[in-house]
Structure formats: C-alpha cells, structure tokens
Amino acid sequence: MQAHRKLVNSVQGCVDEALWGMVSGHGGLTLLEGQRVVLRSDLGALRGRVALVAGGGSGHEPAHAGYIGKGMLSGVVAGAVFASPPPGSVLAAILAMWRGGASGVLLIVKNYTGDRLNFGLALEQARAKGVPVSMVVVADDCAFTAPSKAGRRGLCGTVLVHKLAGALAEEGRTLDEIVQKVNEAAQGIGTLGVSLSPCSVPGSCPNFELPPGEMELGLGIHGEPGIKRSKVGTADEVVKFMIDHMTDPSSQSHLPLKAGDTVVLVVNNLGSLSCLELAIVKGSAIRYLEERGVCIARVMSGTFMTSLEMAGVSLTLMLANQDILRLFDADTTAPAWPKVSNVTLSGRNRTIGPTQEHTAEPENTTQGPRSAVLRRVLQGVCTSLLAQQEVLNELDRAAGDGDCGNTHALAAQAIQEWLQGHVTPDCPGKLLSSLAGLVQEHMGGSSGALYSLFLTAAAPHLKGKTELSAWADAVHAGMEAMKRYGGAEQGDRTMLDALCPAVEELSKLSTVPPGGEMEVLQSAVERAVSGAERTRNLTAKAGRASYIAAQHVTQPDPGAVAVATILKAILTALQDEV
C-alpha cells in the first residue's frame, strides 16, 4: 500500500512549517522561540487574569492554535503529528504566561495518556517554581459502553471547554472558579464520530483500512479503532444511530439527554467531508433532536477538530443553561471560532411563503381568429422536435453530454400537455409569455434559459399587436436577449448561427408587400438551415463544445439544427393554412 500524498515540503518539518504559516497569517499570534508553542501576541493583556494553555498532537487543525485569542486560549503547545508534546515545551508555555503577568495558568488537556503525563509533569514542575497552575482533563467520547481504565477519550467537545474557560477568564474569574465551572460543564458534553475513510500521517500509509461502502463508528481522532463497522447508510440513518448511541442510558459513557433539555450542537468535519454532506448531516441532526423534544439553542457546523484528511463527521452535544449560553456567546478573536447566531434555533419559522405579486388585469385568453392557427403551429413544432429527438442527441454526443434532443423533447411534451388543458390565446404576446414559463420550468439546462429569454424578450412587442412589423421587432428583441445574456455571437458555433440569419431575413416583414410574407419566411428557414450546416466547419467559442478540441467536433451544432427544425415546422404549419 502506498502512502498518501500530501502537500508538504518535508515530513520532518511539516509541523513547524504549519505553525509558522498560521502565525505568519494572523497578527494576533506569535511563536515562542525554540519551542512548538504559539502564544497570543498581546500577552500583556493577560496581566491579572488566568491564562489558558492547551495543545496536543498536531494533525487536528484548526485545533489547537486556531483557538488562541481574546476570550479563548492564551497559548498552545504542539506535538508532532498525533504525538503528545514534550513536557519541556509545556513548561515553557506556562512560564511565558506567568512571567507575562497572568494570575494563574489553566491547562486544558484531552484525555489521552501521553497528554496527561506530559502536561501533568509540566504542571508539577511549574508548581515547584511557585506558579499557580491547574489542569482540566476533557473526556467527552461516548463511543464505548464500558470504557477501559484509560477512560473516555477527549474529542471535539474540548473546543467547547476552550470557549467556556476563555470567557470565564476574560471575566476575571479566579483559577479555582474556572476549574469548577468547566468541570461541571464538561459533564454535560458528549461526542461521537463516524468515518468513511482512514487518514495517514505524513510519510506513512493509512493507519487502518476501511473497505469502500463501509463506515466505522466511534473511532478516535488518531484513527484508533471504533466500536462498530457497517455499510454506509443515509445521513438520517447514521445521525439517528449516533445520537441514540450517545444518549443510551445503558452505556457508561452516555450523555444524559431527555426531552425538554436545551443543547448546543456541534457538527464537526473530521477532515475531508464535503460542505454539502456536512450541511445534510446538520439538517438530519437538528430534525432528529427536535423529534425527541430537545431544544437546540445554538449550532456550530464546520471544521473544528480534524483527523488529517479523514472523511468523516463527529457530533457533539453540550447541555446548556443560560449561564452556559452566555459564556458560549461571549466575544472572542480566536481565528477558528465561527460566527454563531445567538438566536435559539428551535421553535422558529424556517421558511416563508412566496411573495404575493400584484397582478395586472388579466389579458384576453379567449379564443379568437388567430387561436386555431397558433395552436396548429405549436403542435407542428412539438411533433417535429419529438421526431428529431435522437438525431439531436446524436449530434450532441460529439461535443456535449448527448441530451440536446431530450431537453427539446421535454419542452415539446410540456407544451403538448399545456395545449390539452388550456385555451390558446388569440394574443401572440400572451402566448409567448405562457410558453416562456413552460420552457423555463420544464426544459432545463442552458437551452431552457436561452429559449425562455427569447420568448420573454419577444412577448412585449406582441402585446396587443398583430402587424408584421411587430413580429419583426419581437424576434429581433428575443435574439438580442439571447446574445446579451448568453455571451455568444453569430460564428461561435451555437444556435445563434441558425437564428441570427433567420432573424435578419425576418426583419423584411416590416416592409414586405402584401402576399410576400410566406416568401420571407421561406427564405428565413433556408438561411437557418444553411447556417446550421455551416457550423460543422466552425470552431466553438461558446457553450460546452468550446471545451472540446476542434478536430473532434465535425457535425453540425445540435442547438442550431434544433432552431432550424423549429422554423421549418412553423413554415410547414403556415403553408398548410394557405
């Protein structure tokens, strides 16, 4: 098995370079020379207040340095990837706080043996030097129903402890007060994760194997084994299983959650879950918690504590009261803390009804002398497009996704259904407006938007008008709208190569003598057909075909052929009327 590739300069220097990059890009952070320690750049602001120091192995970014700032951590100590930092670095961080004027130092540690040992040793050494220092160990993992002697692991809930402790320190609380309050709050925090893929330490192979289509529930943030493997389910199924497991009273690690409780929900990306999936999981969690009668006061969703590139998500729940929410909402300058709404999310309206538009007086939709002709023209156009469906698809396969015929068929079928249930209006402008709405709703894709633009722009020129000059103005306005918003011109190998010459010919309707209309339309169709045929020799400059090498595009443009097909159908239907 080959090691995963990572965008680093060297395996040995990746942690130091990551810390340097974070500090270089944020004015509120600074490095302690000679140590993997990141500090607030304004340590003087801590004078007389308790300083907060956290940390652990790297690879969990943005934890831990991302949570340094006013109202959160004062400094962090970074170890190698997934390795606890040495006690000498922890001690250096403590002494930097103490010498900067802090009244005391609180160490916030995730419950892993290495972290407890190294931070604990530094604590004892600092106390020997007269520094008032205490330690809070966060153990929020809800995976194991009967945890071993090592206890529950520290996971993403640690970030919430950083926030609560930081707000208390900013208020000027004493070290003992902060320890008491965050320990109480930590009893009401639970986390559970699920992974869809492993992660790999730089320079190494993935630290476990997970077959495609399987997921692992309850694994640790270093890739430690979880409690169960199963087939990947839907987001709703996975979230329900996670929350049920987290709150199962028969588990020694459960979070005591009941109907009527208020919680803060954290939806945490473990590394490479897409934002789309994360949003779906968030919605699933909110729905299920509310179904259980839980009030969701706040929601954090994003990347807070990762496991390198692991594709997975963890859910954290924190039982909350008004005091907890006050501390959670307190301001912080920590770069990785998100801007969270302070509005209780449960019980509010999440949708609004559509705006009621003021409609003008309805136009004439009764049948008239032109209704039958317009209806037959539309029927002819629909029949022709449906007959050409496979031809257009085949042309589109050479330069697109092969669905040009299908999209035109969708429009044709929608118009046919509309004709069965509606009176064809005598007013051409009203008819074009109706067709624009049908095409927009049913055709889809860029073709649907272009045809709807054409019809929408053309319709006003035919409201209450029937003279030939109005038709000339209408088709010209429609063509210009397609060019303006579509960005293409004649010669770019698009439907405009058939439409533009046809519209140019149709402009003669403004001056044609009586009886010459069909001759103009005949000429317009011929120019559309020849324009479509010429596209086989053009280089595509717009549309999907523009991404294909010219030598592979040798057939006429399907959109241009479709325009020619429509115009021929209109001509045939009108000739039948003569």
Side-chain angles (χ1 to χ4, degrees), residues 308-483:
L308 291 170
E309 79 280 11
M310 183 181 290
V313 64
S314 66
L315 299 179
T316 299
L317 295 174
M318 177 172 68
L319 298 174
N321 53 31
Q322 288 304 310
D323 192 42
I324 293 288
L325 293 179
R326 176 181 60 80
L327 299 173
F328 180 88
D329 292 339
D331 290 339
T332 178
T333 61
W337 184 260
K339 184 174 179 60
V340 182
S341 168
N342 60 2
V343 175
T344 296
L345 299 178
S346 292
R348 70 184 186 91
N349 290 329
R350 294 181 178 131
T351 61
I352 60 172
T355 303
Q356 296 297 318
E357 296 184 9
H358 174 72
T359 56
E361 288 295 317
E363 298 184 53
N364 179 29
T365 56
T366 59
Q367 289 187 339
R370 287 171 293 272
S371 294
V373 175
L374 294 172
R375 190 177 191 86
R376 278 191 288 273
V377 167
L378 283 178
Q379 290 170 333
V381 169
C382 293
T383 300
S384 295
L385 288 176
L386 291 170
Q388 289 288 97
Q389 182 174 355
E390 287 307 314
V391 173
L392 295 175
N393 282 342
E394 185 62 32
L395 291 174
D396 195 30
R397 289 187 187 104
D401 51 9
D403 68 346
C404 181
N406 294 343
T407 56
H408 282 79
L410 287 173
Q413 291 162 354
I415 293 171
Q416 285 179 331
E417 292 179 11
W418 183 83
L419 286 171
Q420 291 177 4
H422 294 79
V423 170
T424 305
D426 185 56
C427 171
K430 177 64 176 177
L431 177 61
L432 294 192
S433 294
S434 298
L435 294 176
L438 282 173
V439 169
Q440 176 180 317
E441 182 178 356
H442 297 284
M443 189 173 187
S446 57
S447 295
L450 287 168
Y451 280 114
S452 188
L453 276 168
F454 179 91
L455 294 165
T456 300
H461 296 272
L462 292 168
K463 295 289 181 69
K465 300 177 182 178
T466 58
E467 60 269 22
L468 293 177
S469 60
W471 279 101
D473 292 340
V475 294
H476 182 267
M479 176 191 70
E480 289 298 318
M482 293 175 78
K483 291 165 64 175

Side-chain angles (χ1 to χ4, degrees), residues 464-522:
K465 300 177 182 178
T466 58
E467 60 269 22
L468 293 177
S469 60
W471 279 101
D473 292 340
V475 294
H476 182 267
M479 176 191 70
E480 289 298 318
M482 293 175 78
K483 291 165 64 175
R484 181 164 58 252
Y485 294 106
E489 296 285 346
Q490 186 177 355
D492 288 348
R493 200 182 190 278
T494 69
M495 64 171 64
L496 288 174
D497 290 300
L499 182 62
C500 288
V503 169
E504 182 181 350
E505 194 67 24
L506 290 171
S507 66
K508 298 176 182 178
L509 288 173
S510 299
T511 57
V512 68
E517 300 88 349
M518 294 305 296
E519 184 177 344
V520 171
L521 183 54
Q522 175 74 50

Side-chain angles (χ1 to χ4, degrees), residues 156-170:
C156 189
T158 309
V159 176
L160 296 176
V161 174
H162 295 164
K163 183 65 178 66
L164 302 182
L168 289 166
E170 195 64 30

Side-chain angles (χ1 to χ4, degrees), residues 7 49 99 152 169 240 272 320 370 398 493 495 512 529 563:
L7 198 60
R49 287 191 171 91
R99 291 165 183 163
R152 299 163 62 186
K240 181 180 185 302
S272 65
R370 287 171 293 272
R493 200 182 190 278
M495 64 171 64
V512 68
V529 171
V563 168

Side-chain angles (χ1 to χ4, degrees), residues 147-318:
S148 67
K149 188 174 182 179
R152 299 163 62 186
R153 298 169 295 196
L155 301 174
C156 189
T158 309
V159 176
L160 296 176
V161 174
H162 295 164
K163 183 65 178 66
L164 302 182
L168 289 166
E170 195 64 30
E171 291 179 353
R173 302 297 187 95
T174 67
L175 181 58
D176 288 343
E177 285 179 308
I178 297 173
V179 170
Q180 177 188 347
K181 284 187 171 293
V182 297
N183 274 330
E184 290 174 357
Q187 298 305 308
I189 299 176
T191 299
L192 189 66
V194 64
S195 175
L196 308 178
S197 78
C199 61
S200 60
V201 174
S204 302
C205 296
N207 50 8
F208 65 92
E209 292 185 28
L210 193 59
E214 289 193 8
M215 63 182 186
E216 182 154 356
L217 182 76
L219 74 172
I221 54 175
H222 310 102
E224 308 97 323
I227 56 170
K228 178 181 179 182
R229 283 192 177 184
S230 64
K231 295 295 182 183
V232 177
T234 66
D236 284 346
E237 292 168 344
V238 173
V239 164
K240 181 180 185 302
F241 186 89
M242 292 173 73
I243 294 176
D244 285 349
H245 184 88
M246 290 170 66
T247 59
D248 181 359
S250 67
S251 169
Q252 295 177 24
S253 300
H254 80 283
L255 176 71
L257 182 70
K258 62 184 184 302
D261 284 341
T262 297
V263 299
V264 172
L265 166 67
V266 181
V267 184
N268 173 55
N269 186 348
L270 285 170
S272 65
L273 201 72
S274 69
C275 294
L276 178 83
E277 294 165 280
L278 201 68
I280 293 170
V281 170
K282 174 170 61 174
S284 297
I286 291 171
R287 278 194 302 273
Y288 185 55
L289 287 168
E290 290 183 339
E291 286 173 8
R292 290 185 50 169
V294 175
C295 175
I296 303 167
R298 306 287 187 271
V299 175
M300 283 172 57
S301 178
T303 304
F304 308 117
M305 182 171 287
T306 63
S307 184
L308 291 170
E309 79 280 11
M310 183 181 290
V313 64
S314 66
L315 299 179
T316 299
L317 295 174
M318 177 172 68

